[in-house]
Amino acid sequence: GPCPAIDLSDDTAAKKLTRKESLKRHYNYFSKNGSLLFKRLITRENISAYLEQLFSQHINRREIAADRSQFLDPKQCLFYKQLISRMPEEIIHFSVVLYNEKPIAIHFGFEMNRVFYWYKPSFDIDYAKHGPGEVLLKYLLEYAIDSRLTEFDFTFGNESFKYRFANLVRNNLRITAHSRFISKLVAGGRKCINELAAVYQGADVA
C-alpha cells in the first residue's frame, strides 16, 4: 500500500509546507485566544501521564466518525503501554499540544536514523472545528526541520491530508519466494503468526 512522505532535504521547500494556509489559520486561532504550547515528552514517566488521554481522545474521535477505536480493546492499550516501557526512549517521539494547559492534540510516533515517523495522532473533539490536529502537524513539521531530519514519513495509509504535504510516495510490498516445499510450510506458519499479531497490535494510522 502507499506510504506518503516528505523529503526534507530542500530546507526552503520544507519550511514552505509549515506556512500552508490551513495550518496558519488553525494555529493563529489558538495562539490568539489563549496559551499554546508544544512539548516533546522524553521520559517514560511523563509519557505515561498522557497515554490514557491519547486513548480517550482516539476513542471519542473514532466514535464521531462512526468507527470503532482500537483502544476500546484493553489488549491494544496494554500493547502501547508495553511499547512505552520497553522501547529505547531515544526512539520514541511522544508529543503534546497544550492549549491553556489542556492537551488538545497528542502524537505517539518514532524518530530513527534522522527520519520522523508519524504513527498515532489524536485530538480533543471539543476543539475539532479549529483543527487541533493541523496545529499538531505544524509543530511536528517544524520540529523535524529544526532538528535537521532528512524525512517526515507518514507511514502506511492513503489518507487525503497526507498528500497535501507529501512530495514522495513509496509502496509497501511483501514478496515471498519459496525454493522448496518445507520452506513454504514454514512461511505459511509465519504468515499465520503475523496475522494473529496484527490483530493483537492493530497499528492503524488514522
Side-chain angles (χ1 to χ4, degrees), residues 44-67:
R44 303 184 199 280
E45 291 76 16
N46 289 338
I47 292 172
S48 296
Y50 284 97
L51 195 56
E52 292 293 340
Q53 293 178 76
L54 183 148
F55 296 160
S56 62
Q57 286 183 1
H58 193 274
I59 289 170
N60 292 337
R61 182 191 172 200
R62 303 312 291 177
E63 184 177 8
I64 292 296
D67 194 9

Side-chain angles (χ1 to χ4, degrees), residues 2-206:
C3 299
I6 306 171
D7 181 351
L8 300 176
S9 58
D10 185 336
D11 191 65
T12 301
K15 288 181 178 178
K16 188 176 180 180
L17 292 175
T18 69
R19 297 192 291 270
K20 279 185 174 286
E21 179 58 34
S22 63
L23 298 189
K24 290 196 301 181
R25 182 175 71 254
H26 294 129
Y27 172 85
N28 289 340
Y29 169 82
F30 288 106
S31 61
K32 290 178 179 178
N33 289 283
S35 171
L36 190 62
L37 179 66
F38 172 78
K39 293 174 61 177
R40 180 186 180 187
L41 307 178
I42 304 298
T43 67
R44 303 184 199 280
E45 291 76 16
N46 289 338
I47 292 172
S48 296
Y50 284 97
L51 195 56
E52 292 293 340
Q53 293 178 76
L54 183 148
F55 296 160
S56 62
Q57 286 183 1
H58 193 274
I59 289 170
N60 292 337
R61 182 191 172 200
R62 303 312 291 177
E63 184 177 8
I64 292 296
D67 194 9
R68 178 180 172 83
S69 169
Q70 67 191 83
F71 297 121
L72 289 170
D73 182 352
K75 291 182 179 179
Q76 294 290 322
C77 299
L78 178 60
F79 172 70
Y80 275 72
K81 290 175 181 178
Q82 290 177 338
L83 278 181
I84 298 299
S85 66
R86 297 181 183 183
M87 290 192 72
E89 289 180 340
E90 62 270 19
I91 292 177
I92 298 170
H93 187 114
F94 195 101
S95 47
V96 58
V97 177
L98 299 171
Y99 177 61
N100 295 333
E101 301 184 357
K102 180 180 180 181
I104 60 169
I106 302 172
H107 178 262
F108 171 55
F110 309 97
E111 185 180 327
M112 294 179 287
N113 300 323
R114 299 182 64 205
V115 176
F116 180 89
Y117 294 92
W118 172 275
Y119 186 63
K120 186 63 60 180
S122 71
F123 62 81
D124 188 331
I125 60 172
D126 290 343
Y127 297 91
K129 67 178 181 179
H130 300 299
E134 295 228 334
V135 177
L136 171 66
L137 179 56
K138 175 178 170 62
Y139 274 123
L140 291 176
L141 285 172
E142 290 174 343
Y143 167 85
I145 294 168
D146 292 344
S147 300
R148 310 300 298 177
L149 303 184
T150 61
E151 188 174 310
F152 191 104
D153 190 340
F154 281 111
T155 64
F156 181 80
N158 61 353
E159 293 90 337
S160 60
F161 81 91
K162 296 179 179 180
Y163 292 94
R164 290 170 44 214
F165 299 91
N167 55 20
L168 64 93
V169 179
R170 300 188 182 91
N171 283 304
N172 187 16
L173 303 175
R174 176 177 292 179
I175 300 174
T176 305
H178 304 289
S179 60
R180 57 186 65 176
F181 179 72
I182 190 66
S183 67
K184 186 174 182 179
L185 289 178
V186 171
R190 286 176 177 168
K191 182 174 183 289
C192 180
I193 292 171
N194 288 336
E195 288 173 350
L196 290 173
V199 171
Y200 177 73
Q201 294 173 9
D204 74 21
V205 292

